[in-house]
mmCIF file of all heavy atoms in Angstrom:
data_model
loop_
_atom_site.group_PDB
_atom_site.id
_atom_site.type_symbol
_atom_site.label_atom_id
_atom_site.label_comp_id
_atom_site.label_asym_id
_atom_site.label_seq_id
_atom_site.Cartn_x
_atom_site.Cartn_y
_atom_site.Cartn_z
ATOM 1 N N PHE A 1462 22.146 -17.947 4.136
ATOM 2 C CA PHE A 1462 20.848 -18.696 3.992
ATOM 3 C C PHE A 1462 19.911 -18.408 5.167
ATOM 4 O O PHE A 1462 20.357 -18.165 6.241
ATOM 5 C CB PHE A 1462 21.211 -20.223 4.054
ATOM 6 C CG PHE A 1462 21.938 -20.638 2.822
ATOM 7 C CD1 PHE A 1462 23.344 -20.786 2.891
ATOM 8 C CD2 PHE A 1462 21.287 -21.022 1.650
ATOM 9 C CE1 PHE A 1462 24.056 -21.239 1.648
ATOM 10 C CE2 PHE A 1462 21.916 -21.527 0.566
ATOM 11 C CZ PHE A 1462 23.317 -21.584 0.552
ATOM 12 N N ALA A 1463 18.628 -18.452 4.814
ATOM 13 C CA ALA A 1463 17.618 -18.366 5.905
ATOM 14 C C ALA A 1463 16.475 -19.347 5.489
ATOM 15 O O ALA A 1463 15.919 -19.233 4.444
ATOM 16 C CB ALA A 1463 17.118 -16.919 5.902
ATOM 17 N N HIS A 1464 16.279 -20.308 6.351
ATOM 18 C CA HIS A 1464 15.184 -21.284 6.039
ATOM 19 C C HIS A 1464 13.995 -20.997 6.895
ATOM 20 O O HIS A 1464 14.081 -20.979 8.160
ATOM 21 C CB HIS A 1464 15.760 -22.684 6.230
ATOM 22 C CG HIS A 1464 16.686 -23.083 5.159
ATOM 23 N ND1 HIS A 1464 18.044 -22.746 5.185
ATOM 24 C CD2 HIS A 1464 16.409 -23.754 4.009
ATOM 25 C CE1 HIS A 1464 18.531 -23.270 4.041
ATOM 26 N NE2 HIS A 1464 17.639 -23.854 3.388
ATOM 27 N N LEU A 1465 12.843 -20.722 6.271
ATOM 28 C CA LEU A 1465 11.644 -20.232 6.959
ATOM 29 C C LEU A 1465 10.930 -21.464 7.574
ATOM 30 O O LEU A 1465 10.854 -22.525 6.935
ATOM 31 C CB LEU A 1465 10.724 -19.535 5.929
ATOM 32 C CG LEU A 1465 11.389 -18.502 5.203
ATOM 33 C CD1 LEU A 1465 10.487 -17.926 4.083
ATOM 34 C CD2 LEU A 1465 11.858 -17.287 6.063
ATOM 35 N N PRO A 1466 10.302 -21.272 8.811
ATOM 36 C CA PRO A 1466 9.557 -22.300 9.366
ATOM 37 C C PRO A 1466 8.382 -22.761 8.570
ATOM 38 O O PRO A 1466 7.808 -22.088 7.662
ATOM 39 C CB PRO A 1466 9.040 -21.710 10.710
ATOM 40 C CG PRO A 1466 9.005 -20.194 10.367
ATOM 41 C CD PRO A 1466 10.085 -19.946 9.440
ATOM 42 N N LEU A 1467 7.936 -24.049 8.803
ATOM 43 C CA LEU A 1467 6.784 -24.591 8.065
ATOM 44 C C LEU A 1467 5.508 -23.924 8.505
ATOM 45 O O LEU A 1467 5.419 -23.332 9.584
ATOM 46 C CB LEU A 1467 6.683 -26.116 8.413
ATOM 47 C CG LEU A 1467 7.764 -27.002 7.937
ATOM 48 C CD1 LEU A 1467 7.497 -28.429 8.521
ATOM 49 C CD2 LEU A 1467 7.874 -27.027 6.483
ATOM 50 N N LEU A 1468 4.565 -24.014 7.524
ATOM 51 C CA LEU A 1468 3.208 -23.574 7.907
ATOM 52 C C LEU A 1468 2.482 -24.946 8.314
ATOM 53 O O LEU A 1468 2.460 -25.915 7.586
ATOM 54 C CB LEU A 1468 2.395 -22.999 6.693
ATOM 55 C CG LEU A 1468 2.930 -21.617 6.232
ATOM 56 C CD1 LEU A 1468 1.896 -21.131 5.141
ATOM 57 C CD2 LEU A 1468 3.030 -20.666 7.348
ATOM 58 N N LEU A 1469 1.891 -24.860 9.490
ATOM 59 C CA LEU A 1469 1.270 -26.121 10.018
ATOM 60 C C LEU A 1469 -0.270 -26.024 9.893
ATOM 61 O O LEU A 1469 -0.892 -25.010 9.834
ATOM 62 C CB LEU A 1469 1.711 -26.280 11.504
ATOM 63 C CG LEU A 1469 3.147 -26.278 11.779
ATOM 64 C CD1 LEU A 1469 3.485 -26.379 13.226
ATOM 65 C CD2 LEU A 1469 3.856 -27.432 11.050
ATOM 66 N N LYS A 1470 -0.825 -27.239 9.952
ATOM 67 C CA LYS A 1470 -2.245 -27.404 9.986
ATOM 68 C C LYS A 1470 -2.762 -26.668 11.261
ATOM 69 O O LYS A 1470 -2.081 -26.517 12.162
ATOM 70 C CB LYS A 1470 -2.650 -28.844 10.152
ATOM 71 C CG LYS A 1470 -2.221 -29.782 9.047
ATOM 72 C CD LYS A 1470 -2.637 -31.206 9.338
ATOM 73 C CE LYS A 1470 -1.968 -32.238 8.580
ATOM 74 N NZ LYS A 1470 -2.155 -32.186 7.078
ATOM 75 N N PRO A 1471 -4.091 -26.239 11.153
ATOM 76 C CA PRO A 1471 -4.630 -25.545 12.356
ATOM 77 C C PRO A 1471 -4.455 -26.264 13.672
ATOM 78 O O PRO A 1471 -4.264 -25.564 14.655
ATOM 79 C CB PRO A 1471 -6.112 -25.434 11.975
ATOM 80 C CG PRO A 1471 -6.244 -25.484 10.478
ATOM 81 C CD PRO A 1471 -5.055 -26.432 10.069
ATOM 82 N N ASP A 1472 -4.498 -27.596 13.686
ATOM 83 C CA ASP A 1472 -4.280 -28.261 14.950
ATOM 84 C C ASP A 1472 -2.825 -28.510 15.260
ATOM 85 O O ASP A 1472 -2.431 -29.129 16.219
ATOM 86 C CB ASP A 1472 -5.024 -29.606 14.945
ATOM 87 C CG ASP A 1472 -4.464 -30.645 13.905
ATOM 88 O OD1 ASP A 1472 -3.451 -30.343 13.278
ATOM 89 O OD2 ASP A 1472 -5.173 -31.653 13.761
ATOM 90 N N GLY A 1473 -1.920 -27.987 14.439
ATOM 91 C CA GLY A 1473 -0.495 -28.020 14.721
ATOM 92 C C GLY A 1473 0.123 -29.345 14.255
ATOM 93 O O GLY A 1473 1.334 -29.547 14.391
ATOM 94 N N ASN A 1474 -0.666 -30.338 13.810
ATOM 95 C CA ASN A 1474 -0.114 -31.636 13.554
ATOM 96 C C ASN A 1474 0.303 -31.806 12.054
ATOM 97 O O ASN A 1474 -0.581 -32.253 11.172
ATOM 98 C CB ASN A 1474 -1.114 -32.716 13.851
ATOM 99 C CG ASN A 1474 -1.164 -33.067 15.331
ATOM 100 O OD1 ASN A 1474 -0.154 -33.086 15.979
ATOM 101 N ND2 ASN A 1474 -2.354 -33.338 15.835
ATOM 102 N N GLY A 1475 1.457 -31.420 11.759
ATOM 103 C CA GLY A 1475 1.955 -31.606 10.414
ATOM 104 C C GLY A 1475 1.786 -30.326 9.412
ATOM 105 O O GLY A 1475 1.076 -29.417 9.830
ATOM 106 N N LYS A 1476 2.364 -30.515 8.364
ATOM 107 C CA LYS A 1476 2.490 -29.404 7.359
ATOM 108 C C LYS A 1476 1.066 -29.100 6.774
ATOM 109 O O LYS A 1476 0.295 -30.108 6.505
ATOM 110 C CB LYS A 1476 3.370 -29.903 6.257
ATOM 111 C CG LYS A 1476 4.318 -28.941 5.667
ATOM 112 C CD LYS A 1476 5.265 -29.663 4.737
ATOM 113 C CE LYS A 1476 5.292 -28.890 3.447
ATOM 114 N NZ LYS A 1476 6.323 -29.431 2.478
ATOM 115 N N LEU A 1477 0.777 -27.878 6.567
ATOM 116 C CA LEU A 1477 -0.495 -27.517 5.987
ATOM 117 C C LEU A 1477 -0.499 -27.888 4.556
ATOM 118 O O LEU A 1477 0.408 -27.575 3.690
ATOM 119 C CB LEU A 1477 -0.620 -25.980 6.030
ATOM 120 C CG LEU A 1477 -1.859 -25.325 5.461
ATOM 121 C CD1 LEU A 1477 -3.131 -25.785 6.311
ATOM 122 C CD2 LEU A 1477 -1.819 -23.844 5.389
ATOM 123 N N SER A 1478 -1.472 -28.746 4.162
ATOM 124 C CA SER A 1478 -1.413 -29.273 2.758
ATOM 125 C C SER A 1478 -2.726 -28.785 2.015
ATOM 126 O O SER A 1478 -3.553 -28.188 2.570
ATOM 127 C CB SER A 1478 -1.478 -30.850 2.799
ATOM 128 O OG SER A 1478 -2.785 -31.302 3.062
ATOM 129 N N LYS A 1479 -2.592 -29.026 0.696
ATOM 130 C CA LYS A 1479 -3.750 -28.679 -0.147
ATOM 131 C C LYS A 1479 -5.028 -29.255 0.267
ATOM 132 O O LYS A 1479 -6.004 -28.658 0.208
ATOM 133 C CB LYS A 1479 -3.307 -29.185 -1.553
ATOM 134 C CG LYS A 1479 -4.429 -29.281 -2.625
ATOM 135 C CD LYS A 1479 -3.857 -29.614 -3.885
ATOM 136 C CE LYS A 1479 -4.808 -30.301 -4.871
ATOM 137 N NZ LYS A 1479 -6.147 -29.892 -4.899
ATOM 138 N N ARG A 1480 -4.903 -30.535 0.741
ATOM 139 C CA ARG A 1480 -6.110 -31.220 1.188
ATOM 140 C C ARG A 1480 -6.787 -30.584 2.400
ATOM 141 O O ARG A 1480 -7.924 -30.596 2.621
ATOM 142 C CB ARG A 1480 -5.852 -32.689 1.399
ATOM 143 C CG ARG A 1480 -5.883 -33.473 0.044
ATOM 144 C CD ARG A 1480 -5.365 -34.944 0.256
ATOM 145 N NE ARG A 1480 -3.946 -34.832 0.739
ATOM 146 C CZ ARG A 1480 -2.920 -34.653 -0.067
ATOM 147 N NH1 ARG A 1480 -3.046 -34.468 -1.317
ATOM 148 N NH2 ARG A 1480 -1.702 -34.673 0.451
ATOM 149 N N ASP A 1481 -5.883 -30.017 3.291
ATOM 150 C CA ASP A 1481 -6.479 -29.462 4.557
ATOM 151 C C ASP A 1481 -7.484 -28.295 4.194
ATOM 152 O O ASP A 1481 -8.446 -28.114 4.779
ATOM 153 C CB ASP A 1481 -5.365 -28.837 5.391
ATOM 154 C CG ASP A 1481 -4.469 -29.926 5.960
ATOM 155 O OD1 ASP A 1481 -5.031 -30.940 6.291
ATOM 156 O OD2 ASP A 1481 -3.220 -29.658 5.891
ATOM 157 N N GLY A 1482 -7.110 -27.484 3.200
ATOM 158 C CA GLY A 1482 -7.904 -26.394 2.792
ATOM 159 C C GLY A 1482 -9.271 -26.891 2.362
ATOM 160 O O GLY A 1482 -10.300 -26.458 2.869
ATOM 161 N N ASP A 1483 -9.272 -27.855 1.443
ATOM 162 C CA ASP A 1483 -10.550 -28.491 0.950
ATOM 163 C C ASP A 1483 -11.384 -29.020 2.107
ATOM 164 O O ASP A 1483 -12.540 -28.874 2.211
ATOM 165 C CB ASP A 1483 -10.338 -29.480 -0.122
ATOM 166 C CG ASP A 1483 -9.469 -28.895 -1.247
ATOM 167 O OD1 ASP A 1483 -9.521 -27.648 -1.429
ATOM 168 O OD2 ASP A 1483 -8.837 -29.643 -1.993
ATOM 169 N N ARG A 1484 -10.639 -29.740 3.014
ATOM 170 C CA ARG A 1484 -11.308 -30.409 4.115
ATOM 171 C C ARG A 1484 -11.836 -29.390 5.110
ATOM 172 O O ARG A 1484 -12.957 -29.664 5.615
ATOM 173 C CB ARG A 1484 -10.211 -31.302 4.722
ATOM 174 C CG ARG A 1484 -10.684 -32.245 5.787
ATOM 175 C CD ARG A 1484 -9.586 -33.278 6.074
ATOM 176 N NE ARG A 1484 -8.393 -32.642 6.587
ATOM 177 C CZ ARG A 1484 -8.168 -32.307 7.838
ATOM 178 N NH1 ARG A 1484 -9.041 -32.613 8.759
ATOM 179 N NH2 ARG A 1484 -7.017 -31.727 8.159
ATOM 180 N N LEU A 1485 -11.087 -28.401 5.434
ATOM 181 C CA LEU A 1485 -11.473 -27.532 6.537
ATOM 182 C C LEU A 1485 -12.173 -26.231 6.107
ATOM 183 O O LEU A 1485 -12.539 -25.400 6.924
ATOM 184 C CB LEU A 1485 -10.335 -27.214 7.413
ATOM 185 C CG LEU A 1485 -9.642 -28.436 8.083
ATOM 186 C CD1 LEU A 1485 -8.251 -28.074 8.679
ATOM 187 C CD2 LEU A 1485 -10.527 -29.114 9.086
ATOM 188 N N GLY A 1486 -12.292 -26.102 4.796
ATOM 189 C CA GLY A 1486 -13.072 -24.966 4.218
ATOM 190 C C GLY A 1486 -12.323 -23.618 4.210
ATOM 191 O O GLY A 1486 -12.938 -22.573 4.458
ATOM 192 N N PHE A 1487 -11.062 -23.625 3.905
ATOM 193 C CA PHE A 1487 -10.413 -22.365 3.720
ATOM 194 C C PHE A 1487 -9.403 -22.557 2.572
ATOM 195 O O PHE A 1487 -8.995 -23.666 2.318
ATOM 196 C CB PHE A 1487 -9.672 -21.808 5.000
ATOM 197 C CG PHE A 1487 -8.685 -22.796 5.518
ATOM 198 C CD1 PHE A 1487 -7.356 -22.822 5.036
ATOM 199 C CD2 PHE A 1487 -8.983 -23.626 6.566
ATOM 200 C CE1 PHE A 1487 -6.438 -23.688 5.547
ATOM 201 C CE2 PHE A 1487 -8.020 -24.528 7.089
ATOM 202 C CZ PHE A 1487 -6.805 -24.567 6.534
ATOM 203 N N PRO A 1488 -9.119 -21.504 1.836
ATOM 204 C CA PRO A 1488 -8.132 -21.681 0.711
ATOM 205 C C PRO A 1488 -6.756 -21.874 1.099
ATOM 206 O O PRO A 1488 -6.343 -21.263 2.140
ATOM 207 C CB PRO A 1488 -8.318 -20.295 -0.082
ATOM 208 C CG PRO A 1488 -9.388 -19.532 0.629
ATOM 209 C CD PRO A 1488 -9.590 -20.087 1.966
ATOM 210 N N VAL A 1489 -6.001 -22.611 0.436
ATOM 211 C CA VAL A 1489 -4.556 -22.637 0.654
ATOM 212 C C VAL A 1489 -3.817 -22.140 -0.581
ATOM 213 O O VAL A 1489 -2.589 -22.135 -0.597
ATOM 214 C CB VAL A 1489 -4.078 -24.115 0.941
ATOM 215 C CG1 VAL A 1489 -4.527 -24.594 2.289
ATOM 216 C CG2 VAL A 1489 -4.490 -25.116 -0.146
ATOM 217 N N PHE A 1490 -4.536 -21.594 -1.514
ATOM 218 C CA PHE A 1490 -3.920 -21.044 -2.657
ATOM 219 C C PHE A 1490 -4.345 -19.552 -2.812
ATOM 220 O O PHE A 1490 -5.447 -19.217 -2.492
ATOM 221 C CB PHE A 1490 -4.348 -21.750 -3.998
ATOM 222 C CG PHE A 1490 -3.982 -23.217 -3.948
ATOM 223 C CD1 PHE A 1490 -4.840 -24.217 -3.913
ATOM 224 C CD2 PHE A 1490 -2.593 -23.554 -3.818
ATOM 225 C CE1 PHE A 1490 -4.464 -25.601 -3.941
ATOM 226 C CE2 PHE A 1490 -2.202 -24.844 -3.849
ATOM 227 C CZ PHE A 1490 -3.162 -25.901 -3.888
ATOM 228 N N PRO A 1491 -3.477 -18.708 -3.320
ATOM 229 C CA PRO A 1491 -3.805 -17.288 -3.411
ATOM 230 C C PRO A 1491 -4.965 -17.056 -4.405
ATOM 231 O O PRO A 1491 -5.852 -16.315 -4.038
ATOM 232 C CB PRO A 1491 -2.539 -16.644 -3.949
ATOM 233 C CG PRO A 1491 -1.651 -17.778 -4.518
ATOM 234 C CD PRO A 1491 -2.003 -18.968 -3.699
ATOM 235 N N LEU A 1492 -4.920 -17.691 -5.543
ATOM 236 C CA LEU A 1492 -5.982 -17.568 -6.545
ATOM 237 C C LEU A 1492 -6.627 -18.898 -6.774
ATOM 238 O O LEU A 1492 -5.991 -19.923 -6.540
ATOM 239 C CB LEU A 1492 -5.424 -17.131 -7.874
ATOM 240 C CG LEU A 1492 -4.442 -15.942 -7.915
ATOM 241 C CD1 LEU A 1492 -4.057 -15.584 -9.330
ATOM 242 C CD2 LEU A 1492 -4.968 -14.698 -7.061
ATOM 243 N N GLU A 1493 -7.880 -18.906 -7.254
ATOM 244 C CA GLU A 1493 -8.548 -20.189 -7.615
ATOM 245 C C GLU A 1493 -7.709 -20.894 -8.661
ATOM 246 O O GLU A 1493 -7.046 -20.257 -9.519
ATOM 247 C CB GLU A 1493 -9.967 -19.843 -8.200
ATOM 248 C CG GLU A 1493 -10.763 -20.970 -8.309
ATOM 249 C CD GLU A 1493 -12.223 -20.554 -8.758
ATOM 250 O OE1 GLU A 1493 -12.438 -20.400 -9.992
ATOM 251 O OE2 GLU A 1493 -13.084 -20.277 -7.919
ATOM 252 N N TRP A 1494 -7.679 -22.208 -8.589
ATOM 253 C CA TRP A 1494 -6.809 -22.912 -9.449
ATOM 254 C C TRP A 1494 -7.648 -24.190 -10.012
ATOM 255 O O TRP A 1494 -8.321 -24.894 -9.237
ATOM 256 C CB TRP A 1494 -5.608 -23.526 -8.815
ATOM 257 C CG TRP A 1494 -4.910 -24.580 -9.552
ATOM 258 C CD1 TRP A 1494 -4.907 -25.922 -9.336
ATOM 259 C CD2 TRP A 1494 -3.951 -24.425 -10.653
ATOM 260 N NE1 TRP A 1494 -4.081 -26.609 -10.096
ATOM 261 C CE2 TRP A 1494 -3.474 -25.725 -10.981
ATOM 262 C CE3 TRP A 1494 -3.542 -23.304 -11.401
ATOM 263 C CZ2 TRP A 1494 -2.650 -25.943 -12.020
ATOM 264 C CZ3 TRP A 1494 -2.638 -23.525 -12.390
ATOM 265 C CH2 TRP A 1494 -2.136 -24.855 -12.730
ATOM 266 N N THR A 1495 -7.697 -24.370 -11.370
ATOM 267 C CA THR A 1495 -8.313 -25.514 -11.880
ATOM 268 C C THR A 1495 -7.209 -26.444 -12.432
ATOM 269 O O THR A 1495 -6.371 -26.010 -13.255
ATOM 270 C CB THR A 1495 -9.213 -25.090 -13.081
ATOM 271 O OG1 THR A 1495 -10.081 -24.005 -12.617
ATOM 272 C CG2 THR A 1495 -10.063 -26.206 -13.530
ATOM 273 N N ASP A 1496 -7.178 -27.596 -11.914
ATOM 274 C CA ASP A 1496 -6.095 -28.546 -12.308
ATOM 275 C C ASP A 1496 -6.360 -28.924 -13.779
ATOM 276 O O ASP A 1496 -7.389 -29.402 -14.207
ATOM 277 C CB ASP A 1496 -6.256 -29.854 -11.479
ATOM 278 C CG ASP A 1496 -5.081 -30.747 -11.757
ATOM 279 O OD1 ASP A 1496 -5.078 -31.458 -12.834
ATOM 280 O OD2 ASP A 1496 -4.177 -30.790 -10.846
ATOM 281 N N PRO A 1497 -5.307 -28.665 -14.633
ATOM 282 C CA PRO A 1497 -5.525 -28.856 -16.085
ATOM 283 C C PRO A 1497 -5.627 -30.322 -16.437
ATOM 284 O O PRO A 1497 -6.158 -30.607 -17.508
ATOM 285 C CB PRO A 1497 -4.195 -28.337 -16.670
ATOM 286 C CG PRO A 1497 -3.159 -28.346 -15.614
ATOM 287 C CD PRO A 1497 -3.930 -28.221 -14.334
ATOM 288 N N PHE A 1498 -5.306 -31.221 -15.527
ATOM 289 C CA PHE A 1498 -5.438 -32.685 -15.880
ATOM 290 C C PHE A 1498 -6.738 -33.248 -15.387
ATOM 291 O O PHE A 1498 -7.503 -33.923 -16.110
ATOM 292 C CB PHE A 1498 -4.269 -33.529 -15.300
ATOM 293 C CG PHE A 1498 -2.938 -32.897 -15.720
ATOM 294 C CD1 PHE A 1498 -2.031 -32.433 -14.764
ATOM 295 C CD2 PHE A 1498 -2.581 -32.968 -17.095
ATOM 296 C CE1 PHE A 1498 -0.790 -31.913 -15.243
ATOM 297 C CE2 PHE A 1498 -1.364 -32.441 -17.478
ATOM 298 C CZ PHE A 1498 -0.453 -31.974 -16.570
ATOM 299 N N SER A 1499 -7.070 -32.933 -14.121
ATOM 300 C CA SER A 1499 -8.330 -33.542 -13.594
ATOM 301 C C SER A 1499 -9.509 -32.624 -13.634
ATOM 302 O O SER A 1499 -10.622 -33.081 -13.472
ATOM 303 C CB SER A 1499 -8.046 -33.850 -12.033
ATOM 304 O OG SER A 1499 -7.942 -32.704 -11.346
ATOM 305 N N GLY A 1500 -9.318 -31.312 -13.855
ATOM 306 C CA GLY A 1500 -10.350 -30.432 -13.884
ATOM 307 C C GLY A 1500 -10.825 -29.978 -12.465
ATOM 308 O O GLY A 1500 -11.723 -29.183 -12.297
#
Side-chain angles (χ1 to χ4, degrees):
F1462 292 96
H1464 288 84
L1465 308 175
L1467 292 176
L1468 291 190
L1469 303 176
K1470 295 179 198 299
D1472 64 8
N1474 280 325
K1476 222 171 127 173
L1477 182 67
S1478 78
K1479 162 174 157 36
R1480 279 168 300 279
D1481 293 321
D1483 302 338
R1484 188 168 59 86
L1485 302 168
F1487 58 82
V1489 292
F1490 299 118
L1492 317 180
E1493 192 175 85
W1494 166 258
T1495 309
D1496 187 286
F1498 306 116
S1499 67

